[in-house]
Coordinates of all heavy atoms in Angstrom, one line a residue:
Chain A
W19 N 167.6 120.1 130.2 CA 167.8 118.8 129.6 C 166.7 117.9 130.1 O 166.2 118.1 131.1 CB 169.2 118.3 130.1 CG 170.3 118.7 129.2 CD1 170.3 119.7 128.3 CD2 171.6 118.1 129.2 NE1 171.5 119.7 127.7 CE2 172.3 118.8 128.2 CE3 172.1 117.0 129.9 CZ2 173.7 118.4 127.9 CZ3 173.4 116.7 129.6 CH2 174.2 117.4 128.7
W20 N 166.5 116.8 129.4 CA 167.2 116.2 128.2 C 166.4 116.7 127.0 O 165.2 116.6 127.0 CB 167.2 114.7 128.3 CG 168.0 114.0 127.3 CD1 167.7 113.8 125.9 CD2 169.2 113.2 127.5 NE1 168.6 113.0 125.4 CE2 169.6 112.7 126.3 CE3 170.0 113.0 128.6 CZ2 170.7 111.9 126.2 CZ3 171.1 112.3 128.5 CH2 171.5 111.7 127.3
K117 N 174.2 95.0 126.9 CA 175.5 95.3 126.2 C 175.4 96.7 125.7 O 174.5 97.1 124.9 CB 175.8 94.3 125.1 CG 177.0 93.6 125.4 CD 177.6 93.0 124.1 CE 178.6 91.9 124.5 NZ 178.6 90.7 123.7
G120 N 176.7 101.2 130.1 CA 177.6 101.3 131.3 C 176.9 102.2 132.3 O 175.8 102.6 132.2
T123 N 175.5 105.7 131.0 CA 174.3 105.6 130.1 C 173.2 105.1 130.9 O 172.0 105.6 130.9 CB 174.6 104.7 129.0 OG1 175.8 105.1 128.3 CG2 173.4 104.6 128.0
Y142 N 183.2 115.4 131.9 CA 183.3 116.9 132.3 C 183.2 117.0 133.8 O 183.9 117.8 134.5 CB 182.2 117.7 131.6 CG 182.5 117.9 130.2 CD1 181.6 117.6 129.2 CD2 183.7 118.5 129.7 CE1 181.7 117.8 127.9 CE2 183.9 118.8 128.4 CZ 182.9 118.4 127.5 OH 183.1 118.7 126.1
R145 N 186.4 116.0 135.4 CA 187.4 117.1 135.2 C 187.2 118.3 136.2 O 188.1 118.8 136.8 CB 187.3 117.7 133.8 CG 188.2 116.9 132.8 CD 188.3 117.7 131.5 NE 188.0 116.8 130.4 CZ 187.8 117.2 129.2 NH1 187.8 118.5 128.9 NH2 187.6 116.4 128.2
Chain B
dC4 P 193.4 115.7 122.8 OP1 193.8 116.4 124.0 OP2 193.7 114.2 122.7 O5' 191.7 115.9 122.7 C5' 191.2 117.2 122.6 C4' 189.8 117.1 122.0 O4' 189.9 116.6 120.6 C3' 188.9 116.1 122.8 O3' 187.8 116.8 123.4 C2' 188.4 115.1 121.8 C1' 188.7 115.8 120.4 N1 188.9 114.9 119.3 C2 188.0 115.0 118.2 O2 187.1 115.8 118.2 N3 188.2 114.1 117.2 C4 189.2 113.2 117.2 N4 189.3 112.4 116.2 C5 190.1 113.1 118.3 C6 189.9 114.0 119.3
dA5 P 186.9 116.1 124.6 OP1 186.7 117.1 125.6 OP2 187.4 114.8 124.8 O5' 185.5 115.9 123.8 C5' 185.0 117.0 123.2 C4' 183.8 116.6 122.4 O4' 184.2 115.8 121.2 C3' 182.7 115.7 123.1 O3' 181.4 116.0 122.7 C2' 183.2 114.3 122.6 C1' 183.6 114.5 121.2 N9 184.5 113.6 120.7 C8 185.7 113.1 121.3 N7 186.4 112.2 120.5 C5 185.7 112.2 119.4 C6 186.0 111.6 118.1 N6 187.0 110.8 117.9 N1 185.1 111.8 117.1 C2 184.1 112.6 117.3 N3 183.7 113.3 118.4 C4 184.6 113.0 119.4
dG6 P 180.4 116.8 123.7 OP1 179.1 116.9 122.9 OP2 181.1 117.9 124.2 O5' 180.1 115.9 125.0 C5' 180.4 114.6 125.1 C4' 180.0 114.0 126.5 O4' 179.0 114.8 127.1 C3' 179.3 112.7 126.3 O3' 179.6 111.8 127.4 C2' 177.8 113.0 126.2 C1' 177.7 114.2 127.0 N9 176.8 115.1 126.4 C8 177.1 116.2 125.6 N7 176.1 116.9 125.2 C5 175.0 116.2 125.8 C6 173.6 116.5 125.7 O6 173.1 117.4 125.0 N1 172.8 115.6 126.4 C2 173.3 114.6 127.2 N2 172.4 113.8 127.8 N3 174.6 114.3 127.3 C4 175.4 115.2 126.6
dG7 P 181.1 111.2 127.1 OP1 181.8 111.3 128.3 OP2 181.7 111.5 125.8 O5' 180.6 109.6 126.9 C5' 180.6 108.8 128.1 C4' 180.1 107.5 127.7 O4' 180.8 107.0 126.5 C3' 180.3 106.4 128.8 O3' 179.1 105.5 128.7 C2' 181.6 105.7 128.4 C1' 181.6 105.9 126.9 N9 182.9 106.0 126.3 C8 183.9 106.9 126.7 N7 184.9 106.8 125.9 C5 184.7 105.8 125.0 C6 185.4 105.3 124.0 O6 186.6 105.6 123.7 N1 184.8 104.3 123.3 C2 183.5 103.8 123.6 N2 183.1 102.9 122.9 N3 182.8 104.4 124.6 C4 183.4 105.3 125.2
dT8 P 179.1 104.3 129.7 OP1 177.6 104.0 130.0 OP2 180.0 104.5 130.9 O5' 179.6 103.1 128.9 C5' 179.0 102.7 127.7 C4' 179.5 101.4 127.1 O4' 180.8 101.7 126.5 C3' 179.8 100.4 128.2 O3' 179.2 99.2 127.8 C2' 181.3 100.2 128.3 C1' 181.8 100.8 126.9 N1 183.1 101.5 126.8 C2 184.0 101.2 125.8 O2 183.8 100.3 125.0 N3 185.1 101.8 125.9 C4 185.5 102.8 126.8 O4 186.6 103.5 126.7 C5 184.5 103.1 127.8 C7 184.8 104.2 128.9 C6 183.4 102.5 127.8
dT9 P 179.3 97.8 128.7 OP1 178.1 97.1 128.5 OP2 179.9 98.2 130.0 O5' 180.5 97.0 127.9 C5' 180.4 96.9 126.4 C4' 181.7 96.3 125.9 O4' 182.7 97.2 125.9 C3' 182.1 95.0 126.7 O3' 182.2 93.9 125.9 C2' 183.5 95.4 127.3 C1' 184.0 96.6 126.3 N1 184.8 97.6 127.0 C2 186.0 98.0 126.3 O2 186.3 97.4 125.3 N3 186.7 99.0 126.9 C4 186.3 99.6 128.1 O4 187.1 100.5 128.6 C5 185.2 99.1 128.8 C7 184.7 99.7 130.1 C6 184.4 98.2 128.2
dG10 P 182.2 92.5 126.5 OP1 181.3 91.7 125.6 OP2 182.0 92.5 127.9 O5' 183.7 92.0 126.2 C5' 184.3 92.1 124.9 C4' 185.8 92.0 125.0 O4' 186.4 93.1 125.6 C3' 186.3 90.8 125.9 O3' 187.4 90.2 125.2 C2' 186.7 91.5 127.2 C1' 187.2 92.8 126.7 N9 187.1 93.9 127.7 C8 186.2 94.1 128.7 N7 186.5 95.1 129.4 C5 187.7 95.7 128.8 C6 188.4 96.8 129.2 O6 188.1 97.6 130.1 N1 189.4 97.0 128.3 C2 189.8 96.1 127.3 N2 190.9 96.5 126.6 N3 189.1 95.1 127.0 C4 188.0 94.9 127.7

Side-chain angles (χ1 to χ4, degrees):
Chain A
W19 270 20
W20 189 287
K117 244 199 196 141
T123 307
Y142 287 124
R145 272 191 229 169

